[in-house]
Amino acid sequence: MHPQLTSASSSTSSPSDRRLSALVRHLTGSSPEIDSQSILSASPTSGFHGDSVFSHIVRAPEDPILGVTVAYNKDPSPVKLNLGVGAYRTEEGKPLVLNVVRKAEQMLVNDRSRVKEYLPIVGLAEFNKLSAKLILGAESPAIRENRVTTVQCLSGTGSLRVGAEFLAKHYHQRTIYIPHPTWGNHPKVFTLAGLSVKTYRYYNPVTRGLNFQGLLEDLGSAPSGAIVLLHACAHNPTGVDPTFQQWEQIRQLMRSKCLLPFFDSAYQGFASGSLDADAQSVRMFVADGGECLVAQSYAKNMGLYGERVGALSIVCRAADVASKVESQLKLVIRPMYSNPPIHGASIVAIILKDRNMYNEWTIELKEMADRIISMRQQLFDALRARGTPGDWSHIIKQIGMFTFTGLNKEQVAFMTKEYHIYMTSDGRISMAGLSLKTVPQLADAIHAAVTRVV
Ligand code: PLA
């Protein structure tokens, strides 16, 4: 043993103190050798007094949406059904990888010239251009005039977060109005980015439709310049969207008050089956020449959930502004995750730039949307056949991935306990997780819940 270590082994110091001082000497260079065995053998608590430095930490609750999957995974029942997270399932209840995505991946694998170099901070240039075109339309004057900056981000969530951080740093109004209710992650994303979150009325639980009057009143009394989060289509969780005429009124009101639109487009193509129809709200706001932000996700419409592919576009009034905005977006992204992943964005770029691949995609997308729509009819018919009390027409009126059933927390808990059906406690069900085989099970469960649990 090194003499210094030996001398440290006085009878007054404990073995853990000795290990510690040996480590200090080693790290400061005063001891070239060290009894590494004694350090490695130190048990986690032996050298330090008291508990873990993290022992005060309280257990956080599971996420209200993703936590449903955690509970579902723990259930050993063979009939369990997960209608919590919005993830598309086939008629056989399996996750779906689109054929066109498999093809694109094969092309990527076969192309030996492809490398794994870092992408630029803003991501894959081709992907960004094509993404802007997809949401704003091929003929968009804003794109033609170079007034749009688009950066590749980590799916819809990452795009919202980057946009929010940018606004918190550079926009004069720090308040964002989000609909009530909205996707549960919205308030967290915006608050953590440094914005102050307020809500505007959106849903009327009595009509199970849009509270249009409330929406107009709340946006009408928002301070000038405030940011407003709008679901581009297929509002989550309500499945209720404004009509074209209502969008037009919202646009006029927002422009007259200089409210800044921040669109969340997580379901383009999923609401109606048409990519263009589902982008109408966004395009209406861009057509008037005004400014807005759009967060896009390819999780649902291309089934790229875990690849985390999305884009943030900021539409500006002038090209030089857009280019300065982009320079600042880079400063937001670089310290956050440096630059985005390459694989998913390459898949999207291959599909969007080739006419045949694109057409194939739209067919597969329409099939998914149509299957969801047919599940609405099936569930509605099944409840009617059972004479389930209540008006269930909202199931066929609502759009997109979810039905906001109106079932309360207790009824949801009952359905999970008695029927092994998993859904979020606000009564939202993912229609994309249903199949012909499971509709009767869900209808039985809803019937029992509304007749037995008040
Ligand atoms: N915006 C809205 C309105 C969403 O519903 C979701 C996903 C996202 C953004 C983010 O999606 P992404 O980051 O995966 O692109 N909402 C899901 C999943 C489908 C989730 O909660 O993360 C949901 O079940 O509500």
Side-chain angles (χ1 to χ4, degrees):
M1 193 180 270
H2 192 273
Q4 273 179 306
L5 273 184
T6 319
S7 70
S9 316
S10 81
S11 56
T12 53
S13 58
S14 70
S16 60
D17 286 347
R18 288 197 297 277
R19 277 196 294 269
L20 202 58
S21 52
L23 180 60
V24 169
R25 283 198 307 278
H26 178 69
L27 293 175
T28 55
S30 57
S31 170
E33 289 169 39
I34 193 161
D35 178 4
S36 57
Q37 204 48 48
S38 68
I39 289 172
L40 292 174
S41 67
S43 72
T45 50
S46 66
F48 305 96
H49 305 290
D51 287 336
S52 158
V53 291
F54 304 117
S55 57
H56 62 287
I57 286 176
V58 292
R59 183 174 306 281
E62 289 285 358
D63 181 83
I65 297 174
L66 301 184
V68 174
T69 304
V70 175
Y72 168 85
N73 287 338
K74 285 185 190 153
D75 186 340
S77 166
V79 298
K80 65 180 176 175
L81 182 58
N82 188 3
L83 304 177
V85 68
Y88 187 83
R89 295 287 176 264
T90 62
E91 193 46 46
E92 292 72 44
K94 299 270 187 296
L96 177 69
V97 179
L98 301 185
N99 277 325
V100 72
V101 166
R102 290 226 191 267
K103 254 194 213 173
E105 286 193 306
Q106 203 54 59
M107 289 163 75
L108 286 172
V109 171
N110 292 345
D111 184 350
R112 303 293 299 176
S113 71
R114 287 201 179 253
V115 292
K116 304 285 187 189
E117 288 291 280
Y118 289 131
L119 284 178
I121 297 172
V122 296
L124 196 64
E126 197 174 36
F127 164 88
N128 289 336
K129 235 192 226 153
L130 292 161
S131 294
K133 229 170 97 177
L134 183 70
I135 188 70
L136 304 183
E139 306 306 322
S140 170
I143 296 178
R144 218 176 33 238
E145 292 154 15
N146 286 321
R147 294 191 284 112
V148 187
T149 169
T150 305
V151 294
Q152 180 194 333
C153 298
L154 305 185
S155 213
T157 310
S159 307
L160 290 166
R161 182 67 186 258
V162 168
E165 299 250 354
F166 167 81
L167 290 171
K169 248 188 174 166
H170 299 286
Y171 186 59
H172 66 92
Q173 255 284 0
R174 301 277 147 76
T175 306
I176 184 161
Y177 281 73
I178 62 175
H180 178 72
T182 192
W183 179 47
N185 214 17
H186 277 150
K188 300 172 200 172
V189 166
F190 296 127
T191 305
L192 286 172
L195 296 174
S196 145
V197 173
K198 292 220 165 90
T199 59
Y200 62 88
R201 279 172 285 170
Y202 189 84
Y203 178 72
N204 182 344
V206 179
T207 61
R208 297 205 170 118
L210 187 68
N211 181 355
F212 191 49
Q213 204 47 44
L215 179 151
L216 291 180
E217 280 169 24
D218 290 350
L219 294 189
S221 53
S224 165
I227 309 154
V228 179
L229 190 276
L230 300 162
H231 294 229
C233 70
H235 182 274
N236 177 7
T238 66
V240 174
D241 284 354
T243 62
F244 188 80
Q245 286 74 20
Q246 286 170 332
W247 271 121
E248 181 51 28
Q249 267 179 273
I250 296 170
R251 188 193 64 77
Q252 283 175 16
L253 171 70
M254 286 183 56
R255 291 308 193 201
S256 74
K257 297 206 60 188
C258 300
L259 302 175
L260 181 65
F262 192 161
F263 282 98
D264 182 355
S265 176
Y267 299 97
Q268 189 183 356
F270 249 75
S272 66
S274 153
L275 288 157
D276 287 327
D278 290 354
Q280 257 187 348
S281 57
V282 177
R283 291 179 191 174
M284 193 184 276
F285 276 76
V286 177
D288 68 13
E291 304 185 303
C292 70
L293 290 84
V294 191
Q296 276 170 278
S297 166
Y298 289 97
K300 271 69 72 172
N301 58 13
M302 253 187 224
L304 292 175
Y305 305 89
E307 294 289 356
R308 313 305 295 145
V309 202
L312 170 74
S313 285
I314 304 189
V315 181
C316 306
R317 278 205 183 276
D320 67 318
V321 178
S323 113
K324 283 186 270 184
V325 164
E326 179 162 317
S327 72
Q328 289 294 340
L329 286 171
K330 292 203 264 188
L331 297 193
V332 172
I333 292 167
R334 172 68 168 146
M336 205 191 276
Y337 53 85
S338 194
N339 49 71
I342 195 167
H343 185 67
S346 305
I347 296 172
V348 173
I350 286 182
I351 294 171
L352 295 185
K353 77 177 170 202
D354 180 278
R355 184 186 287 269
N356 291 333
M357 299 282 274
Y358 184 91
N359 289 342
E360 249 183 76
W361 173 45
T362 58
I363 292 165
E364 289 192 80
L365 175 58
K366 176 117 178 41
E367 278 168 11
M368 290 194 283
D370 284 349
R371 203 187 77 74
I372 297 171
I373 293 167
S374 81
M375 284 304 117
R376 293 187 177 280
Q377 192 63 48
Q378 294 289 335
L379 180 61
F380 176 72
D381 292 346
L383 289 172
R384 238 197 352 204
R386 282 162 181 74
T388 308
D391 172 10
W392 297 95
S393 60
H394 56 287
I395 295 178
I396 38 183
K397 282 186 209 141
Q398 294 173 357
I399 2 186
M401 218 164 190
F402 304 108
T403 290
F404 207 42
T405 58
L407 294 164
N408 63 35
K409 224 166 58 197
E410 290 72 27
Q411 290 166 330
V412 170
F414 168 86
M415 286 167 58
T416 304
K417 186 158 173 276
E418 301 295 329
Y419 289 83
H420 304 276
I421 293 174
Y422 289 78
M423 54 200 275
T424 52
S425 62
D426 59 1
R428 184 192 86 166
I429 56 177
S430 170
M431 299 307 284
L434 267 181
S435 67
L436 284 177
K437 211 173 77 206
T438 52
V439 163
Q441 181 191 353
L442 177 61
D444 286 345
I446 294 178
H447 187 87
V450 297
T451 49
R452 286 163 53 189
V453 186
V454 185

